[in-house]
Amino acid sequence: MLSESSSFMKGVLLGGIFCVVVTLLGHVKIGHGTRARHHEHHHIQAPNKEEVLNLSEDERLELSQSIRVYCIVLVKPKDIGHWAAVRETWSKHCDKAEFYSSENVKVFNAVVLNTNDMWTMMRKAYKITYERYKDEFNWFFLAYPTTFAIIENLKYFLLKKDPAQPFYIGHTMKSGDLEYVDGEGGIVLSIESLRRLSRVFEDSDKCPEQGGMIWKLSEDKQLAVCLKYTGVIAENAEDSEGKDVFNTKSVNALIKEAMASRPEQVVDGCCSDMAITFNGLSPNHMHVMMYGVYRLRPYGHTYSDALVFLPPAGSDND
């Protein structure tokens, strides 16, 4: 009886110690030491129409041609339906798009990573991307197979951003003291951010391949930890009115939320007119989005856009 009581008390004591450790870790600052830091999160806005119109025609042409986006789509065999939909829809609008697969799939071409772990997949994809394309592209967009992206809106958002600066952009979230870009809305790295990331990959203390905590961080959080060591901070992307442009939900879900909370302004309250991504789409919905974004046009309406982002040479995109 005494032995059982002793074992019980040991269990209670160990459980209490574990809870204390977890609580303390939740307050530890990840990155440069554990001292208190100021809020580093920024809200980066897209240029407004007047800013673009003030540019000369030659400047507009040069800018539209200089922004080149390489798209990374992380896939697994179970994503085969989404994989096909992404290949046939929005990815055609990237300057180059490649699928990075956990394993070989005979029906589609992909860069095979030979791992099912999402963080390892992401690490390998970024490492290969940097080695192959560091001199060819200046912006790198990573998405999951359930994401739909409007690449022209991404290019417009990046219009006056300098890829030589360490930008890390998307829909930001907070977990404890860690600010990170939610992978479900898509992740954008400048070439400078990717360069710093590729360098910190070599430091297993700062950027471990398997993570170094009691619990396993999601891949987007682990990416934020590694980037923070290099001085790259998560930046929330918004349009000129302050609305998010990287969405972690589908249009359908956002409209339902707007109908419940702002029924008098469902369209205006739902989403930005310059939205870049939506997530959680089925393959069929991706084709519907493709029709709505690139095919359907209300007769008599003109948008007088100051810039045109032409598709890559030889592309069969819409």
Side-chain angles (χ1 to χ4, degrees):
M1 187 71 178
L2 184 61
S3 176
E4 290 178 356
S5 175
S6 175
S7 297
F8 174 77
M9 290 305 296
K10 285 180 180 178
V12 171
L13 180 60
L14 288 173
I17 292 172
F18 179 78
C19 289
V20 170
V21 170
V22 170
T23 302
L24 289 173
L25 282 172
H27 291 84
V28 170
K29 304 285 183 177
I30 302 174
H32 304 289
T34 58
R35 62 186 177 81
R37 296 174 63 83
H38 295 296
H39 181 64
E40 295 171 304
H41 164 67
H42 296 87
H43 298 262
I44 301 181
Q45 290 193 335
N48 57 41
K49 189 174 181 179
E50 287 68 30
E51 286 181 280
V52 179
L53 289 173
N54 286 335
L55 300 172
S56 69
E57 189 171 339
D58 288 341
E59 286 176 319
R60 294 179 204 168
L61 180 62
E62 183 180 352
L63 277 173
S64 66
Q65 293 177 340
S66 68
I67 300 176
R68 290 175 51 76
V69 176
Y70 175 78
C71 297
I72 301 166
V73 186
L74 300 180
V75 292
K76 295 183 177 181
K78 67 181 179 63
D79 304 318
I80 199 77
H82 286 88
W83 187 341
V86 171
R87 191 186 67 163
E88 294 302 316
T89 57
W90 66 264
S91 67
K92 293 182 179 182
H93 291 249
C94 304
D95 291 287
K96 185 178 181 65
E98 288 187 300
F99 295 84
Y100 288 76
S101 176
S102 58
E103 59 189 84
N104 186 46
V105 177
K106 292 182 180 179
V107 293
F108 292 131
N109 291 327
V111 179
V112 180
L113 302 174
N114 294 315
T115 177
N116 279 307
D117 180 79
M118 287 300 295
W119 168 232
T120 307
M121 285 181 65
M122 185 180 281
R123 277 179 63 107
K124 285 187 172 183
Y126 276 133
K127 187 173 182 179
I128 293 168
T129 294
Y130 182 72
E131 290 170 352
R132 292 181 179 177
Y133 302 115
K134 61 185 175 184
D135 298 321
E136 189 174 346
F137 298 95
N138 45 20
W139 297 102
F140 300 85
F141 172 64
L142 181 143
Y144 297 149
T146 54
T147 303
F148 185 94
I150 300 97
I151 298 301
E152 291 81 2
N153 286 0
L154 173 58
K155 288 186 175 184
Y156 178 76
F157 178 85
L158 297 172
L159 195 63
K160 301 186 75 176
K161 309 297 185 294
D162 183 359
Q165 296 300 314
F167 284 100
Y168 165 51
I169 304 168
H171 178 87
T172 58
M173 301 286 287
K174 192 165 184 179
S175 177
D177 293 312
L178 178 68
E179 301 248 22
Y180 67 99
V181 170
D182 192 327
E184 292 192 344
I187 300 170
V188 178
L189 270 68
S190 67
I191 182 59
E192 173 60 19
S193 296
L194 186 59
R195 184 187 68 79
R196 295 188 185 193
L197 181 63
S198 65
R199 194 165 56 194
V200 80
F201 279 158
E202 307 304 319
D203 189 334
S204 60
D205 291 331
K206 294 179 178 178
C207 189
E209 185 165 345
Q210 299 299 329
M213 293 193 171
I214 294 175
W215 62 92
K216 184 175 176 60
L217 292 177
S218 62
E219 64 276 9
D220 45 13
K221 292 178 184 176
Q222 188 64 60
L223 176 65
V225 172
C226 297
L227 285 172
K228 195 167 184 179
Y229 273 113
T230 73
V232 179
I233 306 300
E235 312 281 10
N236 194 68
E238 302 167 353
D239 66 12
S240 57
E241 297 177 357
K243 294 180 182 177
D244 287 335
V245 291
F246 288 84
N247 296 290
T248 59
K249 300 178 182 178
S250 66
V251 176
N252 184 46
L254 292 169
I255 287 176
K256 282 184 178 179
E257 290 179 4
M259 288 179 69
S261 60
R262 298 177 294 276
E264 73 286 353
Q265 52 170 189
V266 172
V267 176
D268 291 339
C270 155
C271 324
S272 168
D273 291 349
M274 294 299 294
I276 294 170
T277 63
F278 296 96
N279 187 57
L281 279 74
S282 69
N284 286 346
H285 287 158
M286 287 196 184
H287 287 283
V288 171
M289 284 289 292
M290 200 69 181
Y291 171 74
V293 172
Y294 291 103
R295 299 284 189 180
L296 182 63
R297 292 289 181 268
Y299 182 79
H301 286 252
T302 58
Y303 297 96
S304 302
D305 291 331
L307 283 170
V308 175
F309 296 109
L310 297 175
S315 170
D316 61 347
N317 70 9
D318 296 81

PDB file of all heavy atoms in Angstrom, residues 45-48 51-53 55 59-60 62-67 139 152-163 306-307 309:
ATOM      1  N   GLN A  45       1.415  46.897 -47.076  1.00  0.00           N
ATOM      2  CA  GLN A  45       0.274  47.131 -47.952  1.00  0.00           C
ATOM      3  C   GLN A  45       0.680  47.162 -49.416  1.00  0.00           C
ATOM      4  O   GLN A  45       1.807  47.531 -49.765  1.00  0.00           O
ATOM      5  CB  GLN A  45      -0.422  48.441 -47.583  1.00  0.00           C
ATOM      6  CG  GLN A  45      -1.153  48.378 -46.247  1.00  0.00           C
ATOM      7  CD  GLN A  45      -2.090  49.547 -46.052  1.00  0.00           C
ATOM      8  OE1 GLN A  45      -1.907  50.608 -46.618  1.00  0.00           O
ATOM      9  NE2 GLN A  45      -3.113  49.347 -45.233  1.00  0.00           N
ATOM     10  N   ALA A  46      -0.269  46.775 -50.254  1.00  0.00           N
ATOM     11  CA  ALA A  46      -0.080  46.871 -51.703  1.00  0.00           C
ATOM     12  C   ALA A  46      -0.099  48.333 -52.116  1.00  0.00           C
ATOM     13  O   ALA A  46      -0.677  49.183 -51.424  1.00  0.00           O
ATOM     14  CB  ALA A  46      -1.191  46.114 -52.416  1.00  0.00           C
ATOM     15  N   PRO A  47       0.521  48.671 -53.241  1.00  0.00           N
ATOM     16  CA  PRO A  47       0.457  50.055 -53.715  1.00  0.00           C
ATOM     17  C   PRO A  47      -0.970  50.403 -54.120  1.00  0.00           C
ATOM     18  O   PRO A  47      -1.752  49.525 -54.504  1.00  0.00           O
ATOM     19  CB  PRO A  47       1.396  50.049 -54.930  1.00  0.00           C
ATOM     20  CG  PRO A  47       1.432  48.628 -55.382  1.00  0.00           C
ATOM     21  CD  PRO A  47       1.295  47.810 -54.147  1.00  0.00           C
ATOM     22  N   ASN A  48      -1.332  51.679 -53.998  1.00  0.00           N
ATOM     23  CA  ASN A  48      -2.653  52.065 -54.500  1.00  0.00           C
ATOM     24  C   ASN A  48      -2.533  52.465 -55.970  1.00  0.00           C
ATOM     25  O   ASN A  48      -1.435  52.614 -56.513  1.00  0.00           O
ATOM     26  CB  ASN A  48      -3.270  53.199 -53.664  1.00  0.00           C
ATOM     27  CG  ASN A  48      -2.367  54.429 -53.611  1.00  0.00           C
ATOM     28  OD1 ASN A  48      -1.770  54.813 -54.613  1.00  0.00           O
ATOM     29  ND2 ASN A  48      -2.257  55.036 -52.433  1.00  0.00           N
ATOM     30  N   GLU A  51      -0.326  55.491 -57.050  1.00  0.00           N
ATOM     31  CA  GLU A  51       1.124  55.291 -57.038  1.00  0.00           C
ATOM     32  C   GLU A  51       1.614  54.719 -58.359  1.00  0.00           C
ATOM     33  O   GLU A  51       2.654  55.119 -58.884  1.00  0.00           O
ATOM     34  CB  GLU A  51       1.511  54.334 -55.904  1.00  0.00           C
ATOM     35  CG  GLU A  51       1.438  54.925 -54.510  1.00  0.00           C
ATOM     36  CD  GLU A  51       1.870  53.921 -53.461  1.00  0.00           C
ATOM     37  OE1 GLU A  51       1.071  53.054 -53.092  1.00  0.00           O
ATOM     38  OE2 GLU A  51       3.037  53.992 -53.024  1.00  0.00           O
ATOM     39  N   VAL A  52       0.846  53.785 -58.911  1.00  0.00           N
ATOM     40  CA  VAL A  52       1.234  53.161 -60.174  1.00  0.00           C
ATOM     41  C   VAL A  52       1.060  54.126 -61.329  1.00  0.00           C
ATOM     42  O   VAL A  52       1.901  54.209 -62.230  1.00  0.00           O
ATOM     43  CB  VAL A  52       0.411  51.872 -60.408  1.00  0.00           C
ATOM     44  CG1 VAL A  52       0.798  51.223 -61.731  1.00  0.00           C
ATOM     45  CG2 VAL A  52       0.637  50.895 -59.260  1.00  0.00           C
ATOM     46  N   LEU A  53      -0.023  54.872 -61.301  1.00  0.00           N
ATOM     47  CA  LEU A  53      -0.283  55.816 -62.389  1.00  0.00           C
ATOM     48  C   LEU A  53       0.761  56.919 -62.451  1.00  0.00           C
ATOM     49  O   LEU A  53       0.988  57.513 -63.515  1.00  0.00           O
ATOM     50  CB  LEU A  53      -1.683  56.433 -62.236  1.00  0.00           C
ATOM     51  CG  LEU A  53      -2.857  55.481 -62.508  1.00  0.00           C
ATOM     52  CD1 LEU A  53      -4.174  56.154 -62.167  1.00  0.00           C
ATOM     53  CD2 LEU A  53      -2.854  55.022 -63.960  1.00  0.00           C
ATOM     54  N   LEU A  55       3.858  56.503 -62.187  1.00  0.00           N
ATOM     55  CA  LEU A  55       5.051  55.999 -62.851  1.00  0.00           C
ATOM     56  C   LEU A  55       4.964  56.255 -64.357  1.00  0.00           C
ATOM     57  O   LEU A  55       3.881  56.279 -64.938  1.00  0.00           O
ATOM     58  CB  LEU A  55       5.205  54.500 -62.609  1.00  0.00           C
ATOM     59  CG  LEU A  55       5.342  54.037 -61.148  1.00  0.00           C
ATOM     60  CD1 LEU A  55       5.289  52.518 -61.080  1.00  0.00           C
ATOM     61  CD2 LEU A  55       6.635  54.552 -60.541  1.00  0.00           C
ATOM     62  N   GLU A  59       8.720  52.965 -66.920  1.00  0.00           N
ATOM     63  CA  GLU A  59       8.913  52.416 -65.574  1.00  0.00           C
ATOM     64  C   GLU A  59       7.931  51.278 -65.304  1.00  0.00           C
ATOM     65  O   GLU A  59       8.291  50.258 -64.720  1.00  0.00           O
ATOM     66  CB  GLU A  59       8.732  53.515 -64.521  1.00  0.00           C
ATOM     67  CG  GLU A  59       9.887  54.502 -64.442  1.00  0.00           C
ATOM     68  CD  GLU A  59       9.616  55.625 -63.452  1.00  0.00           C
ATOM     69  OE1 GLU A  59       8.456  56.132 -63.423  1.00  0.00           O
ATOM     70  OE2 GLU A  59      10.548  55.999 -62.719  1.00  0.00           O
ATOM     71  N   ARG A  60       6.694  51.449 -65.747  1.00  0.00           N
ATOM     72  CA  ARG A  60       5.682  50.397 -65.554  1.00  0.00           C
ATOM     73  C   ARG A  60       6.071  49.125 -66.291  1.00  0.00           C
ATOM     74  O   ARG A  60       5.951  48.020 -65.766  1.00  0.00           O
ATOM     75  CB  ARG A  60       4.314  50.878 -66.052  1.00  0.00           C
ATOM     76  CG  ARG A  60       3.714  52.022 -65.262  1.00  0.00           C
ATOM     77  CD  ARG A  60       2.388  52.412 -65.875  1.00  0.00           C
ATOM     78  NE  ARG A  60       2.038  53.793 -65.570  1.00  0.00           N
ATOM     79  CZ  ARG A  60       1.057  54.454 -66.165  1.00  0.00           C
ATOM     80  NH1 ARG A  60       0.334  53.870 -67.103  1.00  0.00           N
ATOM     81  NH2 ARG A  60       0.788  55.706 -65.835  1.00  0.00           N
ATOM     82  N   GLU A  62       9.060  48.188 -67.226  1.00  0.00           N
ATOM     83  CA  GLU A  62      10.239  47.589 -66.608  1.00  0.00           C
ATOM     84  C   GLU A  62       9.870  46.830 -65.339  1.00  0.00           C
ATOM     85  O   GLU A  62      10.344  45.722 -65.095  1.00  0.00           O
ATOM     86  CB  GLU A  62      11.273  48.672 -66.294  1.00  0.00           C
ATOM     87  CG  GLU A  62      12.575  48.122 -65.711  1.00  0.00           C
ATOM     88  CD  GLU A  62      13.584  49.218 -65.402  1.00  0.00           C
ATOM     89  OE1 GLU A  62      13.347  50.382 -65.776  1.00  0.00           O
ATOM     90  OE2 GLU A  62      14.609  48.894 -64.773  1.00  0.00           O
ATOM     91  N   LEU A  63       8.983  47.432 -64.533  1.00  0.00           N
ATOM     92  CA  LEU A  63       8.557  46.780 -63.298  1.00  0.00           C
ATOM     93  C   LEU A  63       7.792  45.493 -63.575  1.00  0.00           C
ATOM     94  O   LEU A  63       8.030  44.460 -62.959  1.00  0.00           O
ATOM     95  CB  LEU A  63       7.681  47.737 -62.479  1.00  0.00           C
ATOM     96  CG  LEU A  63       8.393  48.750 -61.592  1.00  0.00           C
ATOM     97  CD1 LEU A  63       7.392  49.721 -60.999  1.00  0.00           C
ATOM     98  CD2 LEU A  63       9.167  48.052 -60.480  1.00  0.00           C
ATOM     99  N   SER A  64       6.865  45.547 -64.522  1.00  0.00           N
ATOM    100  CA  SER A  64       6.039  44.378 -64.813  1.00  0.00           C
ATOM    101  C   SER A  64       6.881  43.216 -65.325  1.00  0.00           C
ATOM    102  O   SER A  64       6.565  42.045 -65.082  1.00  0.00           O
ATOM    103  CB  SER A  64       4.948  44.728 -65.826  1.00  0.00           C
ATOM    104  OG  SER A  64       5.513  45.056 -67.081  1.00  0.00           O
ATOM    105  N   GLN A  65       7.967  43.527 -66.020  1.00  0.00           N
ATOM    106  CA  GLN A  65       8.832  42.471 -66.551  1.00  0.00           C
ATOM    107  C   GLN A  65       9.865  41.981 -65.539  1.00  0.00           C
ATOM    108  O   GLN A  65      10.392  40.876 -65.677  1.00  0.00           O
ATOM    109  CB  GLN A  65       9.538  42.972 -67.818  1.00  0.00           C
ATOM    110  CG  GLN A  65       8.596  43.220 -68.988  1.00  0.00           C
ATOM    111  CD  GLN A  65       9.310  43.781 -70.210  1.00  0.00           C
ATOM    112  OE1 GLN A  65      10.413  44.327 -70.096  1.00  0.00           O
ATOM    113  NE2 GLN A  65       8.681  43.675 -71.371  1.00  0.00           N
ATOM    114  N   SER A  66      10.146  42.802 -64.531  1.00  0.00           N
ATOM    115  CA  SER A  66      11.206  42.452 -63.579  1.00  0.00           C
ATOM    116  C   SER A  66      10.731  41.517 -62.467  1.00  0.00           C
ATOM    117  O   SER A  66      11.537  40.838 -61.834  1.00  0.00           O
ATOM    118  CB  SER A  66      11.793  43.716 -62.945  1.00  0.00           C
ATOM    119  OG  SER A  66      10.829  44.341 -62.111  1.00  0.00           O
ATOM    120  N   ILE A  67       9.430  41.487 -62.217  1.00  0.00           N
ATOM    121  CA  ILE A  67       8.900  40.654 -61.128  1.00  0.00           C
ATOM    122  C   ILE A  67       8.656  39.244 -61.649  1.00  0.00           C
ATOM    123  O   ILE A  67       7.732  39.003 -62.427  1.00  0.00           O
ATOM    124  CB  ILE A  67       7.607  41.250 -60.551  1.00  0.00           C
ATOM    125  CG1 ILE A  67       7.878  42.648 -59.999  1.00  0.00           C
ATOM    126  CG2 ILE A  67       7.051  40.345 -59.460  1.00  0.00           C
ATOM    127  CD1 ILE A  67       6.660  43.361 -59.502  1.00  0.00           C
ATOM    128  N   TRP A 139      11.415  36.261 -56.501  1.00  0.00           N
ATOM    129  CA  TRP A 139      10.380  35.994 -55.504  1.00  0.00           C
ATOM    130  C   TRP A 139       9.995  34.518 -55.558  1.00  0.00           C
ATOM    131  O   TRP A 139       9.903  33.932 -56.635  1.00  0.00           O
ATOM    132  CB  TRP A 139       9.147  36.860 -55.736  1.00  0.00           C
ATOM    133  CG  TRP A 139       9.415  38.318 -55.599  1.00  0.00           C
ATOM    134  CD1 TRP A 139       9.578  39.225 -56.600  1.00  0.00           C
ATOM    135  CD2 TRP A 139       9.566  39.056 -54.377  1.00  0.00           C
ATOM    136  NE1 TRP A 139       9.826  40.476 -56.088  1.00  0.00           N
ATOM    137  CE2 TRP A 139       9.822  40.402 -54.723  1.00  0.00           C
ATOM    138  CE3 TRP A 139       9.513  38.706 -53.024  1.00  0.00           C
ATOM    139  CZ2 TRP A 139      10.011  41.388 -53.771  1.00  0.00           C
ATOM    140  CZ3 TRP A 139       9.703  39.689 -52.072  1.00  0.00           C
ATOM    141  CH2 TRP A 139       9.950  41.016 -52.452  1.00  0.00           C
ATOM    142  N   GLU A 152      -1.069  37.252 -60.663  1.00  0.00           N
ATOM    143  CA  GLU A 152      -0.996  38.649 -61.105  1.00  0.00           C
ATOM    144  C   GLU A 152      -1.191  39.602 -59.929  1.00  0.00           C
ATOM    145  O   GLU A 152      -0.535  40.645 -59.851  1.00  0.00           O
ATOM    146  CB  GLU A 152      -2.047  38.928 -62.190  1.00  0.00           C
ATOM    147  CG  GLU A 152      -1.766  38.239 -63.518  1.00  0.00           C
ATOM    148  CD  GLU A 152      -2.208  36.776 -63.532  1.00  0.00           C
ATOM    149  OE1 GLU A 152      -2.770  36.287 -62.514  1.00  0.00           O
ATOM    150  OE2 GLU A 152      -2.011  36.116 -64.564  1.00  0.00           O
ATOM    151  N   ASN A 153      -2.097  39.254 -59.004  1.00  0.00           N
ATOM    152  CA  ASN A 153      -2.289  40.083 -57.816  1.00  0.00           C
ATOM    153  C   ASN A 153      -1.074  40.027 -56.897  1.00  0.00           C
ATOM    154  O   ASN A 153      -0.729  41.014 -56.240  1.00  0.00           O
ATOM    155  CB  ASN A 153      -3.546  39.643 -57.061  1.00  0.00           C
ATOM    156  CG  ASN A 153      -4.821  40.070 -57.767  1.00  0.00           C
ATOM    157  OD1 ASN A 153      -4.775  40.694 -58.822  1.00  0.00           O
ATOM    158  ND2 ASN A 153      -5.964  39.712 -57.193  1.00  0.00           N
ATOM    159  N   LEU A 154      -0.433  38.867 -56.845  1.00  0.00           N
ATOM    160  CA  LEU A 154       0.812  38.760 -56.069  1.00  0.00           C
ATOM    161  C   LEU A 154       1.878  39.675 -56.659  1.00  0.00           C
ATOM    162  O   LEU A 154       2.569  40.398 -55.933  1.00  0.00           O
ATOM    163  CB  LEU A 154       1.300  37.315 -56.051  1.00  0.00           C
ATOM    164  CG  LEU A 154       2.678  37.072 -55.420  1.00  0.00           C
ATOM    165  CD1 LEU A 154       2.730  37.564 -53.986  1.00  0.00           C
ATOM    166  CD2 LEU A 154       3.060  35.595 -55.500  1.00  0.00           C
ATOM    167  N   LYS A 155       1.999  39.670 -57.972  1.00  0.00           N
ATOM    168  CA  LYS A 155       3.004  40.523 -58.619  1.00  0.00           C
ATOM    169  C   LYS A 155       2.688  42.003 -58.386  1.00  0.00           C
ATOM    170  O   LYS A 155       3.592  42.814 -58.173  1.00  0.00           O
ATOM    171  CB  LYS A 155       3.070  40.214 -60.112  1.00  0.00           C
ATOM    172  CG  LYS A 155       3.712  38.867 -60.420  1.00  0.00           C
ATOM    173  CD  LYS A 155       3.889  38.665 -61.923  1.00  0.00           C
ATOM    174  CE  LYS A 155       4.646  37.378 -62.215  1.00  0.00           C
ATOM    175  NZ  LYS A 155       4.922  37.192 -63.661  1.00  0.00           N
ATOM    176  N   TYR A 156       1.407  42.338 -58.419  1.00  0.00           N
ATOM    177  CA  TYR A 156       1.023  43.729 -58.151  1.00  0.00           C
ATOM    178  C   TYR A 156       1.393  44.110 -56.722  1.00  0.00           C
ATOM    179  O   TYR A 156       1.909  45.208 -56.471  1.00  0.00           O
ATOM    180  CB  TYR A 156      -0.477  43.906 -58.375  1.00  0.00           C
ATOM    181  CG  TYR A 156      -0.966  45.308 -58.075  1.00  0.00           C
ATOM    182  CD1 TYR A 156      -0.723  46.349 -58.974  1.00  0.00           C
ATOM    183  CD2 TYR A 156      -1.652  45.596 -56.892  1.00  0.00           C
ATOM    184  CE1 TYR A 156      -1.161  47.644 -58.691  1.00  0.00           C
ATOM    185  CE2 TYR A 156      -2.088  46.880 -56.609  1.00  0.00           C
ATOM    186  CZ  TYR A 156      -1.835  47.895 -57.511  1.00  0.00           C
ATOM    187  OH  TYR A 156      -2.266  49.175 -57.233  1.00  0.00           O
ATOM    188  N   PHE A 157       1.143  43.227 -55.782  1.00  0.00           N
ATOM    189  CA  PHE A 157       1.484  43.501 -54.391  1.00  0.00           C
ATOM    190  C   PHE A 157       2.988  43.721 -54.222  1.00  0.00           C
ATOM    191  O   PHE A 157       3.430  44.567 -53.450  1.00  0.00           O
ATOM    192  CB  PHE A 157       1.030  42.341 -53.503  1.00  0.00           C
ATOM    193  CG  PHE A 157       1.381  42.518 -52.059  1.00  0.00           C
ATOM    194  CD1 PHE A 157       0.558  43.242 -51.211  1.00  0.00           C
ATOM    195  CD2 PHE A 157       2.554  41.983 -51.539  1.00  0.00           C
ATOM    196  CE1 PHE A 157       0.893  43.436 -49.877  1.00  0.00           C
ATOM    197  CE2 PHE A 157       2.898  42.161 -50.214  1.00  0.00           C
ATOM    198  CZ  PHE A 157       2.060  42.892 -49.378  1.00  0.00           C
ATOM    199  N   LEU A 158       3.780  42.948 -54.966  1.00  0.00           N
ATOM    200  CA  LEU A 158       5.239  43.023 -54.848  1.00  0.00           C
ATOM    201  C   LEU A 158       5.852  44.130 -55.698  1.00  0.00           C
ATOM    202  O   LEU A 158       7.074  44.296 -55.699  1.00  0.00           O
ATOM    203  CB  LEU A 158       5.860  41.679 -55.267  1.00  0.00           C
ATOM    204  CG  LEU A 158       5.484  40.463 -54.409  1.00  0.00           C
ATOM    205  CD1 LEU A 158       6.005  39.190 -55.064  1.00  0.00           C
ATOM    206  CD2 LEU A 158       6.019  40.597 -52.993  1.00  0.00           C
ATOM    207  N   LEU A 159       5.009  44.871 -56.376  1.00  0.00           N
ATOM    208  CA  LEU A 159       5.452  45.829 -57.388  1.00  0.00           C
ATOM    209  C   LEU A 159       6.586  46.738 -56.925  1.00  0.00           C
ATOM    210  O   LEU A 159       7.585  46.918 -57.617  1.00  0.00           O
ATOM    211  CB  LEU A 159       4.249  46.660 -57.841  1.00  0.00           C
ATOM    212  CG  LEU A 159       4.415  47.467 -59.122  1.00  0.00           C
ATOM    213  CD1 LEU A 159       4.654  46.541 -60.297  1.00  0.00           C
ATOM    214  CD2 LEU A 159       3.174  48.316 -59.356  1.00  0.00           C
ATOM    215  N   LYS A 160       6.430  47.307 -55.758  1.00  0.00           N
ATOM    216  CA  LYS A 160       7.421  48.274 -55.283  1.00  0.00           C
ATOM    217  C   LYS A 160       8.238  47.747 -54.104  1.00  0.00           C
ATOM    218  O   LYS A 160       8.874  48.512 -53.388  1.00  0.00           O
ATOM    219  CB  LYS A 160       6.718  49.590 -54.917  1.00  0.00           C
ATOM    220  CG  LYS A 160       5.972  50.211 -56.087  1.00  0.00           C
ATOM    221  CD  LYS A 160       5.407  51.574 -55.756  1.00  0.00           C
ATOM    222  CE  LYS A 160       6.503  52.627 -55.732  1.00  0.00           C
ATOM    223  NZ  LYS A 160       5.973  53.995 -55.505  1.00  0.00           N
ATOM    224  N   LYS A 161       8.194  46.422 -53.914  1.00  0.00           N
ATOM    225  CA  LYS A 161       9.003  45.799 -52.867  1.00  0.00           C
ATOM    226  C   LYS A 161      10.359  45.413 -53.449  1.00  0.00           C
ATOM    227  O   LYS A 161      10.475  45.045 -54.608  1.00  0.00           O
ATOM    228  CB  LYS A 161       8.307  44.562 -52.311  1.00  0.00           C
ATOM    229  CG  LYS A 161       6.858  44.776 -51.883  1.00  0.00           C
ATOM    230  CD  LYS A 161       6.752  45.765 -50.756  1.00  0.00           C
ATOM    231  CE  LYS A 161       5.337  45.894 -50.228  1.00  0.00           C
ATOM    232  NZ  LYS A 161       4.358  46.473 -51.158  1.00  0.00           N
ATOM    233  N   ASP A 162      11.376  45.493 -52.625  1.00  0.00           N
ATOM    234  CA  ASP A 162      12.743  45.204 -53.068  1.00  0.00           C
ATOM    235  C   ASP A 162      13.110  43.774 -52.695  1.00  0.00           C
ATOM    236  O   ASP A 162      13.232  43.448 -51.507  1.00  0.00           O
ATOM    237  CB  ASP A 162      13.703  46.190 -52.397  1.00  0.00           C
ATOM    238  CG  ASP A 162      15.147  46.013 -52.851  1.00  0.00           C
ATOM    239  OD1 ASP A 162      15.413  45.116 -53.681  1.00  0.00           O
ATOM    240  OD2 ASP A 162      16.010  46.778 -52.369  1.00  0.00           O
ATOM    241  N   PRO A 163      13.306  42.876 -53.675  1.00  0.00           N
ATOM    242  CA  PRO A 163      13.637  41.486 -53.352  1.00  0.00           C
ATOM    243  C   PRO A 163      15.007  41.319 -52.713  1.00  0.00           C
ATOM    244  O   PRO A 163      15.319  40.246 -52.200  1.00  0.00           O
ATOM    245  CB  PRO A 163      13.573  40.797 -54.720  1.00  0.00           C
ATOM    246  CG  PRO A 163      13.837  41.879 -55.706  1.00  0.00           C
ATOM    247  CD  PRO A 163      13.212  43.112 -55.124  1.00  0.00           C
ATOM    248  N   ALA A 306      -3.146  49.927 -64.906  1.00  0.00           N
ATOM    249  CA  ALA A 306      -1.973  50.620 -65.430  1.00  0.00           C
ATOM    250  C   ALA A 306      -0.874  49.658 -65.845  1.00  0.00           C
ATOM    251  O   ALA A 306       0.062  50.042 -66.526  1.00  0.00           O
ATOM    252  CB  ALA A 306      -1.435  51.590 -64.379  1.00  0.00           C
ATOM    253  N   LEU A 307      -0.988  48.392 -65.416  1.00  0.00           N
ATOM    254  CA  LEU A 307       0.060  47.410 -65.699  1.00  0.00           C
ATOM    255  C   LEU A 307      -0.531  46.144 -66.291  1.00  0.00           C
ATOM    256  O   LEU A 307      -1.687  45.795 -66.028  1.00  0.00           O
ATOM    257  CB  LEU A 307       0.795  47.032 -64.410  1.00  0.00           C
ATOM    258  CG  LEU A 307       1.825  48.019 -63.866  1.00  0.00           C
ATOM    259  CD1 LEU A 307       2.245  47.574 -62.481  1.00  0.00           C
ATOM    260  CD2 LEU A 307       3.035  48.099 -64.762  1.00  0.00           C
ATOM    261  N   PHE A 309       0.682  42.101 -66.598  1.00  0.00           N
ATOM    262  CA  PHE A 309       1.673  41.060 -66.303  1.00  0.00           C
ATOM    263  C   PHE A 309       1.490  39.955 -67.327  1.00  0.00           C
ATOM    264  O   PHE A 309       0.528  39.181 -67.255  1.00  0.00           O
ATOM    265  CB  PHE A 309       1.515  40.520 -64.890  1.00  0.00           C
ATOM    266  CG  PHE A 309       1.775  41.555 -63.821  1.00  0.00           C
ATOM    267  CD1 PHE A 309       0.745  42.066 -63.066  1.00  0.00           C
ATOM    268  CD2 PHE A 309       3.067  42.007 -63.602  1.00  0.00           C
ATOM    269  CE1 PHE A 309       0.983  43.025 -62.091  1.00  0.00           C
ATOM    270  CE2 PHE A 309       3.330  42.957 -62.625  1.00  0.00           C
ATOM    271  CZ  PHE A 309       2.285  43.476 -61.868  1.00  0.00           C
TER     272      PHE A 309
END
